[in-house]
Amino acid sequence: MALTMNSNTFIHPSNKDALEALTRRLSHAVLLTGPPGLGLEEIARIITTSHDPHPLVINPEANSISIELIRELYANLRTKQGRRVILIIRADRMTLEAQNAFLKLLEEPGEHISFILTSEHPGALLPTIRSRVQSIQLTKTTKAQSVAQLDAHQVTTPIERAQIMFIAQGLPGKLKQLATDKEYFSEQVAVVRSVRTFLEGSTYDKLLIIQKISSERETALMFLQALELMLKHSLQHAPSVLTARRLDTALVAEEKLLANGHVRTQLMRVAFD
């Protein structure tokens, strides 16, 4: 049976007790981490609203959280009293200046104020922030849980179930989106097909794909994540030095793109390194 915080939220058994404990008692600051597609935001919102029905939520604007947003948060907390829970989505998107400003909030804890942060890339947070939060690393769900989640979303077609299982790879947030958003599902299937062409095709094929996806950073990141998935799958079934090297190059390229590296340069490196 799937272990859930509610009927639609699937959580690995090893994380269940810690997360349910947070719904009962919340420390001053909690950092939830995990890979993209795990569903960190959904889980964080469940915990947040169990303590504060009207939490203050901070989301990245234009792919970052500016110092101005943190200053507004500081002013808001100074003027409003009572129990407050602040949810910061993708906290690693805070600029360096914003992180330093947020650090002051952590160092001067107000009574009845708690912070919940989510991050898919916690290494981008200052060590001084990470040292002042309770960090919980979330794990992918089991294969049995993924099957149960497909059943819950009433996905019955065998080929569609197989495609979703392969693309989601135990990431319940991604699986939910694949199962409920037909446009997203079609987009992801198309990305996987383009990755196969990228891996098996000619130089001309690779250049066409790079030209198509290099104009949008998020599209390029989606492609790299699918590429990493395919390479990891290949390593599991037919290990090779070449595949391992390709995977390392793709991981480095993703890291550089997340740090605002030049998109086309990184894709070219992945194609021809």
Side-chain angles (χ1 to χ4, degrees):
M1 183 174 66
L3 297 173
T4 63
M5 295 176 74
N6 61 41
S7 60
N8 296 311
T9 307
F10 286 75
I11 299 163
H12 191 277
S14 65
N15 297 135
K16 183 174 182 290
D17 289 344
L19 293 176
E20 290 190 343
L22 290 178
T23 65
R24 297 188 295 270
R25 182 175 180 179
L26 193 59
S27 58
H28 171 55
V30 176
L31 171 64
L32 302 179
T33 69
L38 192 72
L40 290 176
E41 181 175 348
E42 180 180 353
I43 293 169
R45 286 182 181 274
I46 291 171
I47 297 169
T48 302
T49 54
S50 68
H51 297 279
D52 185 346
H54 304 290
L56 182 58
V57 181
I58 295 179
N59 273 294
E61 294 180 351
N63 210 33
S64 69
I65 298 174
S66 67
I67 188 171
E68 286 76 20
L69 282 175
I70 301 303
R71 285 171 177 164
E72 288 177 15
L73 169 62
Y74 184 80
N76 188 294
L77 293 177
R78 290 187 65 183
T79 57
K80 293 190 177 181
Q81 304 299 317
R83 177 63 167 147
R84 300 302 310 276
V85 181
I86 295 86
L87 173 57
I88 303 181
I89 304 298
R90 296 185 178 182
D92 50 84
R93 301 292 179 92
M94 283 190 282
T95 64
L96 180 59
E97 293 81 5
Q99 290 194 48
N100 281 313
F102 178 68
L103 183 59
K104 293 180 181 179
L105 284 174
L106 287 181
E107 291 173 339
E108 302 171 4
E111 192 175 2
H112 306 306
I113 294 176
S114 294
F115 298 94
I116 298 179
L117 290 70
T118 72
S119 175
E120 297 167 352
H121 307 282
L125 289 168
L126 291 172
T128 43
I129 290 180
R130 298 200 305 269
S131 68
R132 285 170 171 77
V133 299
Q134 176 189 355
S135 184
I136 299 177
Q137 184 174 0
L138 303 186
T139 306
K140 294 179 179 182
T141 51
T142 65
K143 182 177 180 180
Q145 286 179 302
S146 293
V147 170
Q149 192 176 1
L150 285 173
D151 293 340
H153 291 300
Q154 300 181 339
V155 179
T156 58
T157 308
I159 188 169
E160 189 172 340
R161 288 174 70 93
Q163 288 173 320
I164 292 175
M165 286 283 285
F166 176 75
I167 296 171
Q169 291 290 304
L171 296 168
K174 189 164 190 174
L175 190 150
K176 179 180 179 180
Q177 189 172 4
L178 287 164
T180 59
D181 185 335
K182 294 300 183 184
E183 183 177 347
Y184 179 73
F185 171 74
S186 298
E187 178 185 50
Q188 288 293 307
V189 170
V191 170
V192 169
R193 287 174 180 157
S194 69
V195 167
R196 287 200 177 99
T197 300
F198 189 82
L199 289 171
E200 301 169 2
S202 65
T203 297
Y204 180 70
D205 293 328
K206 290 180 172 64
L207 289 172
L208 281 180
I209 291 171
I210 289 172
Q211 182 179 3
K212 182 178 179 180
I213 67 176
S214 60
S215 60
E216 294 287 342
R217 186 174 302 274
E218 291 301 322
T219 301
L221 282 168
M222 185 191 305
F223 178 85
L224 285 175
Q225 289 161 4
L227 175 62
E228 291 159 17
L229 169 63
M230 295 285 287
L231 292 171
K232 288 175 182 177
H233 182 76
S234 295
L235 277 175
Q236 289 174 351
H237 293 83
S240 76
V241 173
L242 176 59
T243 302
R245 191 178 73 199
R246 280 180 162 180
L247 177 58
D248 287 341
T249 303
L251 290 168
V252 170
E254 181 184 8
E255 182 180 339
K256 289 186 179 296
L257 286 193
L258 289 167
N260 291 320
H262 188 261
V263 176
R264 186 176 179 85
T265 298
Q266 298 308 318
L267 291 173
M268 291 291 285
R269 181 174 294 154
V270 170
F272 303 111
D273 186 24

